[in-house]
Amino acid sequence: MRLLLVEDDSMIGESVRQGLRQDGFTVDWVRDGRAAELALANEVYDLLLLDLGLPKKEGLEVLNTLRQKGNTIPVVILTARDAVADRVKGLDAGADDYLVKPFDLDELAARIRALLRRRSGRAEPVIQVGALTLNPASREVTLKGEPVSLSAREFALLAAFLDRPGAVLSREQLEEKLYGWDQEVGSNTVEVYIHALRKKLGQDLIKNVRGVGYMVPKPS
Ligand code: CA
């Protein structure tokens, strides 16, 4: 899952980016409201983490504009402003959740997972597709009840497929899920990870859709 973090405080930004990457998220980080709008216009994100007090354009303005344009991306406000009025304003402007600084990174990650599963129309925390289960919180995968050991990238790729079974994902979409701006994409990497996943989880789990991409079919 790819997140956009908008935060002008270097220390908070760095620690949030580090922490969420360790939790398996791909994170792009910008430091002002205008850069946030540019990033949102040019990339596809699964969720937005938005500070309110920002240079160039306030977070609340960014959020208002985003919702006016019909963008439905889940938004978590990260703010030092603990006044109730600010939280109410943020939620009423279209935010889905908020955290008051200083916050706990584990709590932030858990709230992100909760929003992402709601966005995907799920209430249960473990994703199950056929004989396969994936737990986004514990990062455990099982096949027919047996644990399967995956690398961080293999896990991220599988999570992208299982989040929307039956949806075809292009190689570019998969690369975007796996790599942030500051991370080099090697050639053939998606193919390499798909090969590894098939080896561990069965050859017919991930289907090639010729000329379009890949998918994990919905179990019939
Ligand atoms: Ca700020």
Side-chain angles (χ1 to χ4, degrees):
M1 297 289 137
R2 187 166 181 181
L3 318 179
L4 180 65
L5 166 65
V6 192
E7 170 63 67
D8 60 322
D9 182 298
S10 297
M11 267 174 60
I12 297 173
E14 192 55 59
S15 81
V16 170
R17 180 170 65 173
Q18 285 282 359
L20 291 179
R21 279 193 177 163
Q22 272 165 23
D23 270 319
F25 296 104
T26 302
V27 184
D28 288 337
W29 173 23
V30 294
R31 296 160 193 250
D32 67 67
R34 295 248 179 261
E37 290 188 328
L38 197 65
L40 287 162
N42 288 304
E43 310 274 351
V44 178
Y45 293 102
D46 295 294
L47 187 138
L48 173 64
L49 298 168
L50 185 65
D51 182 23
L52 287 187
L54 288 171
K56 296 188 185 171
K57 192 164 185 175
E58 287 280 326
L60 212 51
E61 264 185 84
V62 173
L63 179 59
N64 274 322
T65 311
L66 197 64
R67 292 309 190 216
Q68 275 161 19
K69 283 184 184 161
N71 190 320
T72 60
I73 186 172
V75 176
V76 180
I77 287 177
L78 308 175
T79 179
R81 300 177 189 181
D82 55 358
V84 174
D86 282 326
R87 290 184 234 161
V88 170
K89 239 190 242 170
L91 291 167
D92 279 343
D96 299 281
D97 202 354
Y98 69 87
L99 273 177
V100 175
K101 297 171 192 169
F103 49 79
D104 182 90
L105 277 173
D106 288 339
E107 182 180 358
L108 175 61
R111 284 176 188 252
I112 291 170
R113 284 191 292 270
L115 283 173
L116 291 176
R117 86 182 160 244
R118 279 292 174 192
R119 183 207 53 172
S120 304
R122 287 182 292 116
E124 57 304 339
V126 176
I127 304 175
Q128 178 157 18
V129 176
L132 198 60
T133 72
L134 180 145
N135 186 329
S138 65
R139 308 180 58 70
E140 287 163 342
V141 171
T142 68
L143 180 65
K144 294 177 186 149
E146 295 294 321
V148 181
S149 163
L150 299 182
S151 73
R153 296 255 198 246
E154 289 163 10
F155 182 92
L157 199 64
L158 184 66
F161 282 119
L162 297 194
D163 188 47
R164 293 168 61 208
V168 180
L169 296 169
S170 71
R171 183 185 157 166
E172 271 163 10
Q173 285 173 316
L174 292 167
E175 279 174 357
E176 281 168 8
K177 298 264 184 209
L178 294 183
Y179 298 95
W181 290 332
D182 53 348
Q183 293 166 300
E184 192 86 20
V185 187
S187 56
N188 299 324
T189 40
V190 165
E191 283 86 346
V192 170
Y193 294 130
I194 285 176
H195 180 75
L197 283 175
R198 282 175 172 156
K199 229 171 148 183
K200 291 178 182 180
L201 300 169
Q203 289 301 324
D204 50 359
L205 172 75
I206 301 168
K207 309 278 185 208
N208 281 357
V209 182
R210 197 181 290 271
V212 191
Y214 304 90
M215 74 156 172
V216 169
K218 267 187 195 163
S220 42

